[in-house]
Amino acid sequence: MKPTGYFTHRTCRQHEMGAGHPECPERLGAIEDRLLITGVGDALDRRDPTPASIAELELAHGRMYVASLRGLSDQLKDDVAAGGPSHAQLDPDTAINVHTWEAALLAAGAAIDATDAVMAGELENAFCAVRPPGHHACRDKAMGFCFFNNVAVAAKYALAMHGLQRVAIVDFDVHHGNGTEDIVAGDERILMCSFYQHPFYPEWPHSDAPNLVNVPVPAYSKGMDIRELIDLYWMPRLEAFKPELIFISAGFDAHREDDMGQLGLVEQDYVWITRQLKAVAQRHAQGRVVSVLEGGYNLSALARSVEAHIRVLADL
Ligand SMILES: [Zn+2]
């Protein structure tokens, strides 16, 4: 078997949104430490991503939006150089610092580079340990800690640049990937499957486009409930769709120990979900999976869950 790729970049740790913010650089440090101490990191093909190009971002985002975020970043750098405030706020919980623009390009670039390497057959599959996350980023709007929709950019890129006809996006973050939905709803080349705590953030009208398999679940649902729903709703659609490549919006904030949400998943549930998706990929997609970090805010639970997820991807 070919190796599992691990894409990350030190600049992704320089983006931060202010003291005490849960989407913090330490998240990547916790994952890194866990992979080191368990030896899992040794088995991975570690790669530095290259930044996404503007043209690549525009596969999923509006030209004006991309330009305005770049303008805001340039303005902030000037302001900081002149002794001004260190952050510019985009919404009550989403802000940029002087490293955000570069980190966001690298996060989207990691998903693209992972796609290229998996499609080239260099890697069996890949995990991108990147931030900022992406699944709340809409075509023309940053929100919920997200600026560019890393997974949606890479999915559109795979369709445009690798000539694929069908790609799946699977989102197991506790929050609804409203940004991904905003970008892919109605695109029949993409099947998006997700479950998410509901009602919950984000308050966002759900699309009923036929390429979306939305499974809202009530607070305090446990892993076994979620597994049943996945078997019932995701699996038949994934089997029928026969994706040529599977993207995972891998958020780990549905973990029982994560206070950001109220779901009850544990490491073994992430193992189970990853096994199901890997099996679909092996049946239809030559094993090709590109998994990209989204949420997960309890550092210990995040690190253990990512380790469990990667162990399945890498057959460890
Ligand atoms: Zn989340």
Side-chain angles (χ1 to χ4, degrees), residues 15 17 23 27 104 107 130-137 143-151 173 292-295 297:
H15 157 64
M17 296 187 280
E23 205 291 278
R27 298 176 63 230
V130 292
R131 50 185 296 281
H135 77 152
H136 296 304
M143 62 180 278
F145 318 163
C146 302
F147 302 91
F148 297 126
N149 197 310
N150 307 319
V151 161
D173 191 277
V292 184
L293 182 66
E294 300 283 1
Y297 304 99

Side-chain angles (χ1 to χ4, degrees), residues 47-313:
R47 298 186 178 201
D48 268 349
T50 53
S53 69
I54 299 297
E56 287 162 351
L57 296 174
E58 289 175 357
L59 292 167
H61 294 283
R63 178 161 292 184
M64 292 301 291
Y65 168 64
V66 176
S68 74
L69 198 59
R70 181 180 214 165
L72 192 66
S73 172
D74 290 345
Q75 180 66 51
L76 179 70
K77 287 172 187 171
D78 290 348
D79 291 351
V80 168
S86 56
H87 294 82
Q89 207 72 29
L90 275 80
D91 81 9
D93 47 32
T94 309
I96 64 167
N97 73 356
V98 294
H99 300 290
T100 301
W101 173 257
E102 280 75 19
L105 294 187
L106 285 161
I112 288 172
D113 289 354
T115 300
D116 284 338
V118 166
M119 289 305 301
E122 298 164 21
L123 302 173
E124 178 77 9
N125 49 41
F127 182 76
C128 301
V130 292
R131 50 185 296 281
H135 77 152
H136 296 304
C138 299
R139 178 170 292 280
D140 297 304
K141 184 177 162 64
M143 62 180 278
F145 318 163
C146 302
F147 302 91
F148 297 126
N149 197 310
N150 307 319
V151 161
V153 168
K156 295 277 189 182
Y157 173 87
L159 294 166
M161 304 307 290
H162 288 286
L164 298 185
Q165 313 288 318
R166 297 177 310 283
V167 303
I169 297 175
V170 176
D171 187 327
F172 57 65
D173 191 277
V174 76
H175 302 99
H176 181 221
N178 64 299
T180 314
E181 181 171 303
D182 179 57
I183 293 164
V184 310
D187 186 340
E188 296 295 333
R189 303 170 301 168
I190 302 175
L191 177 70
M192 181 184 179
C193 295
S194 69
F195 70 79
Y196 47 87
Q197 183 177 329
H198 181 76
F200 199 41
Y201 180 91
E203 306 297 328
W204 194 265
H206 298 181
S207 161
D208 54 6
N211 66 319
L212 308 173
V213 182
N214 279 327
V215 183
V217 298
Y220 309 110
S221 298
K222 296 205 161 45
M224 284 303 168
D225 307 324
I226 302 288
R227 294 190 199 192
E228 229 179 288
L229 293 167
I230 288 174
D231 263 338
L232 194 59
Y233 293 104
W234 288 8
M235 296 310 283
R237 288 294 298 274
L238 285 166
E239 286 298 333
F241 186 70
K242 298 183 171 57
E244 298 164 287
L245 172 60
I246 298 179
F247 290 96
I248 303 178
S249 264
F252 297 92
D253 43 8
H255 195 284
R256 188 170 66 193
E257 294 169 24
D258 199 308
D259 295 333
M260 193 69 92
Q262 286 80 43
L263 295 188
L265 271 60
V266 295
E267 289 88 317
Q268 277 310 307
D269 297 310
Y270 292 115
V271 165
W272 185 89
I273 295 171
T274 309
R275 281 193 184 134
Q276 308 307 305
L277 299 177
K278 193 175 171 183
V280 173
Q282 282 168 341
R283 281 193 289 276
H284 303 295
Q286 300 173 40
R288 298 186 289 227
V289 176
V290 172
S291 178
V292 184
L293 182 66
E294 300 283 1
Y297 304 99
N298 176 307
L299 298 184
S300 170
L302 170 66
R304 286 181 276 121
S305 301
V306 169
E307 180 207 343
H309 176 61
I310 289 180
R311 277 187 186 276
V312 176
L313 289 179

